[in-house]
Amino acid sequence: MDKIREGLAALEHEQWAHWTKYMLYNSTDENMIRWLKQVKIPYSELSEKEKDSDREWADKVIDFLGLTISEDITTDNCKKGICCSCCSYGC
């Protein structure tokens, strides 16, 4: 489990570094106003374009965990330590 945790932490750092670099190089008054509005919007209310940006990072997590996007998380994944709360394994 430590290996998964460290891999996900590295991915999170990569995401943070990507965003921070983008923000630093694109910090304008217009962008700051837009970003301040965006942080208040729940994911479900984002535009499809904004969701696609978040989905790119979600896909990286899926890839890291060794899943395919079309793969349903099932009890087989519970045995891999990936819980879906879909069964009685209680993982």
Side-chain angles (χ1 to χ4, degrees):
M1 195 56 96
D2 283 343
K3 198 173 193 178
I4 292 172
R5 183 178 186 224
E6 288 302 306
L8 291 173
L11 184 58
E12 176 58 25
H13 177 74
E14 181 183 343
Q15 181 182 25
W16 170 83
H18 175 79
W19 166 248
T20 301
K21 183 178 175 182
Y22 179 85
M23 189 179 70
L24 290 171
Y25 290 115
N26 294 281
S27 186
T28 64
D29 289 343
E30 181 181 321
N31 281 339
M32 293 302 284
I33 291 167
R34 181 170 55 93
W35 295 332
L36 286 169
K37 288 179 184 177
Q38 284 177 316
V39 298
K40 297 175 185 173
I41 300 171
Y43 175 80
S44 63
E45 295 177 21
L46 293 176
S47 70
E48 285 303 308
K49 183 179 178 182
E50 292 166 323
K51 286 181 179 180
D52 283 342
S53 179
D54 291 339
R55 289 173 183 140
E56 286 180 36
W57 288 98
D59 290 346
K60 291 175 188 267
V61 173
I62 290 168
D63 289 344
F64 174 79
L65 293 174
L67 304 172
T68 60
I69 293 176
S70 63
E71 181 180 8
D72 289 331
I73 297 179
T74 65
T75 56
D76 288 339
N77 289 323
C78 293
K79 294 171 189 167
K80 296 178 194 174
I82 304 166
C83 189
C84 59
S85 303
C86 64
C87 61
S88 59
Y89 284 105
C91 51

